[in-house]
Amino acid sequence: MGDRDMQALDAYFVAERMRHLEEYREFLRIPSVSALPSHREEVLRAADWVARALRQAGVPTVELLPTQGHPVVYGAWPAENPGTPTLLLYAHYDTQPADPLDEWTTPPFEPTIRDGRMYARGASDDKGNLLLTLKVVEAFSALRGQPPTGLIFLFEGEEEIGSPNLRACIQEHKDLLRADAVMSADSVMWAHDAPSLVLGSKGLIGLQIDVQGAQSDLHSGLHGGLAPNPLNALATLLGSMWTRDGQIRIEGFYDEVRPLSERERAEIAAVPFDEASYARSIGIPAPVGEPGYGPLERNWARPTLDVNGLWGGFQGEGNKTVIAREAHAKITCRLVPNQVPAHVIAAIERHIQTHCPPGITATVEQTAGSSSAFAIAPTHPVLRVAREALRASYGRDPLLIRLGGTLPVAEYFQKDLGQDIVFLAWSMPDEHLHGPDEFFRLENFDRGLRIYTDLFERLSVQWES
Ligand SMILES: [Zn+2]
């Protein structure tokens, strides 16, 4: 972009900063807590607020798309020239609940600036990031009459409750959402001084294992050595799933895992991770897990299987000489690229049936919707340009990170729109997201404005799909 152009946009951001912060506060004052039925009107008020802000930014088409729950705010500004790309921007206007209220230094919905930080529920997740994308559009609109690329906005009000209606909304409005690329302004950087881009996240499956022995609880003296014990059986079954050092022993479990390339291992190795301080922070002697892989490789790029709950039998004080009739476990697995959830579930079921001790019946039930892992190629045209824009701003190459967690929206955009999503936002892991005293660094609001501006400019001139 021309220096003069950037200077004019910069000058605009400086001149409008107080107003931007005032609007940011206004947005934060709306307690749009999606989880609370009592806040339904407030969530709707936030949706209206965002719709109005889009219109004020000059976006020609703005509407609320109704869903079974809270509405999706939609906006569209078509590209001027057929050669310029259209980007779909995703973010969310709902927030987590604010309790426990007495742990906040200032009330969660009375936004307060302290030490260059905006303190309020939603300041970082995700209202600050959402708003700065709108202010970028507004700046282009004011100075040039339009943004340099086509833009579609899709802001949901149910992210914090797991986006139960987003997928249906995307499917219903596919024609409104046609874009050359999808970006999310809901994401976390590696650290305040370490800009990063997300290359992947994990998939998820959940299962409940129920094991059954005799038809009723039995006396362990009368029946010991004769009747099958479901709790012993469950312990045997679960114990057969890992080696002592944490490798998963279920046949076929790793079959579809795409091995890490040299490049990926180098990217991961470039991310600073202090094992000792991590271990200290959670009170363990050292990180543990599958041999042959570094800690971040295990967390980001190797599948895991965890027991999340176990129950059955006597749990009161003292002894009870009982052989319980049943026992249960809940397990979840985090999956990595190329693993098909249904195949992993089938492998676990086979393992359980093959290893089930005599006299015991075991059943396996899927407990939640499953999702596949997400991965985006570093050569993705928008990701490549985002990397350049970050490098230009920070004077260093961003880290390429993955997430051990799951991003359901990534799968929706991938499956329903055929788009890998580029995450670019300025929340930092230390900003108390979902906790008391959530905050957003205002210097990142400023930086986000400039980098998004730069990114749209770069994409308008160097688009190759
Ligand atoms: Zn969020």
Side-chain angles (χ1 to χ4, degrees):
M1 134 174 52
D3 278 353
R4 188 172 304 167
D5 275 4
M6 193 65 208
Q7 276 170 22
L9 287 156
D10 256 353
Y12 180 87
F13 293 136
V14 171
E16 303 297 322
R17 191 169 193 266
M18 291 312 287
R19 181 177 57 85
H20 288 169
L21 293 184
E22 201 29 66
E23 290 179 27
Y24 186 17
R25 277 205 199 89
E26 202 180 292
F27 190 17
L28 290 168
R29 271 185 215 113
I30 309 172
S32 48
V33 180
S34 50
L36 301 176
S38 58
H39 283 52
R40 209 183 156 74
E41 286 304 311
E42 301 291 357
V43 180
L44 191 59
R45 199 149 71 81
D48 286 331
W49 192 94
V50 173
R52 201 174 56 241
L54 277 165
R55 285 188 200 102
Q56 273 165 10
V59 178
T61 305
V62 178
E63 50 182 297
L64 297 192
L65 305 177
T67 73
Q68 299 283 324
H70 304 303
V72 166
V73 184
Y74 169 83
W77 198 328
E80 253 240 320
N81 312 309
T84 41
T86 294
L87 298 174
L88 188 155
L89 272 179
Y90 164 87
H92 63 92
Y93 64 84
D94 64 323
T95 72
Q96 281 278 319
D99 49 287
L101 291 178
D102 56 353
E103 288 181 25
W104 286 77
T105 308
T106 48
F109 297 107
E110 289 173 29
T112 312
I113 296 175
R114 291 194 296 276
D115 309 323
R117 299 163 165 197
M118 180 72 86
Y119 283 85
R121 169 56 85 236
S124 181
D125 182 14
D126 183 33
K127 287 177 171 174
N129 289 303
L130 185 156
L131 186 64
L132 72 86
T133 66
L134 297 190
K135 297 297 126 188
V136 169
V137 179
E138 182 195 276
F140 279 120
S141 182
L143 298 182
R144 303 233 198 111
Q146 88 228 19
T149 66
L151 290 170
I152 293 171
F153 303 90
L154 186 75
F155 297 143
E156 72 159 318
E158 300 189 311
E159 196 278 339
E160 301 294 3
I161 51 170
S163 306
N165 298 296
L166 182 65
R167 183 138 199 211
C169 181
I170 292 173
Q171 286 170 341
E172 190 184 336
H173 299 288
K174 256 186 189 166
D175 48 326
L176 293 180
L177 303 176
R178 216 163 308 220
D180 297 294
V182 175
M183 295 190 68
S184 171
D186 182 25
S187 187
V188 175
M189 292 256 181
W190 182 245
H192 178 51
D193 55 357
S196 57
L197 288 166
V198 175
L199 289 192
S201 66
K202 279 175 156 178
L204 184 67
I205 56 168
L207 300 170
Q208 179 168 325
I209 306 171
D210 300 298
V211 298
Q212 179 85 41
Q215 61 195 9
S216 60
D217 289 358
L218 302 171
H219 188 291
S220 74
L222 287 173
H223 298 275
L226 302 170
N229 184 323
L231 285 156
N232 295 10
L234 185 58
T236 306
L237 269 179
L238 294 174
S240 68
M241 290 185 180
W242 300 268
T243 60
R244 193 174 169 276
D245 52 10
Q247 191 169 30
I248 295 161
R249 281 165 57 190
I250 295 168
E251 204 179 306
F253 186 86
Y254 292 109
D255 279 6
E256 294 171 322
V257 171
R258 180 165 59 74
L260 283 170
S261 67
E262 285 303 312
R263 176 184 59 72
E264 290 171 314
R265 296 196 94 160
E267 285 162 5
I268 295 172
V271 178
F273 181 79
D274 182 343
E275 292 192 48
S277 72
Y278 166 76
R280 239 186 343 267
S281 74
I282 63 162
I284 58 168
V288 297
E290 192 186 0
Y293 297 92
L296 288 180
E297 289 180 334
R298 299 196 300 266
N299 185 235
W300 292 348
R302 295 295 296 168
T304 54
L305 187 160
D306 282 293
V307 178
N308 309 116
L310 267 177
W311 69 103
F314 175 68
Q315 287 164 58
E317 234 176 281
N319 285 329
K320 185 180 180 189
T321 50
V322 66
I323 298 175
R325 67 191 167 103
E326 59 188 20
H328 313 270
K330 293 224 188 238
I331 61 178
T332 51
C333 297
R334 300 277 181 178
L335 308 181
V336 298
N338 293 8
Q339 282 188 298
V340 177
H343 297 173
V344 179
I345 292 169
I348 298 171
E349 280 185 319
R350 259 195 320 272
H351 180 92
I352 288 170
Q353 297 313 336
T354 335
H355 291 77
C356 191
I360 295 286
T361 48
T363 51
V364 180
E365 200 188 322
Q366 207 179 324
T367 44
S370 54
S371 61
S372 315
F374 159 72
I376 184 168
T379 51
H380 184 287
V382 175
L383 194 82
R384 226 179 39 226
V385 175
R387 209 167 156 179
E388 286 172 20
L390 285 170
R391 193 188 299 128
S393 171
Y394 287 90
R396 56 182 283 193
D397 216 15
L399 298 169
L400 299 175
I401 64 170
R402 278 97 176 147
L403 304 173
T406 302
L407 298 168
V409 297
E411 195 183 21
Y412 304 160
F413 287 110
Q414 166 47 241
K415 286 215 166 124
D416 296 317
L417 300 178
Q419 295 284 359
D420 293 331
I421 188 164
V422 176
F423 291 87
L424 184 61
W426 276 268
S427 302
M428 301 297 153
D430 64 354
E431 291 180 338
H432 303 165
L433 282 74
H434 298 196
D437 280 350
E438 176 179 351
F439 68 91
F440 193 58
R441 292 175 169 88
L442 294 178
E443 66 184 287
N444 285 329
F445 190 91
D446 300 330
R447 203 190 269 274
L449 288 173
R450 286 170 175 82
I451 294 180
Y452 258 106
T453 303
D454 186 24
L455 179 76
F456 292 159
E457 287 277 38
R458 285 171 191 260
L459 283 169
S460 71
V461 294
Q462 43 168 302
W463 176 253
E464 336 149 17
S465 53

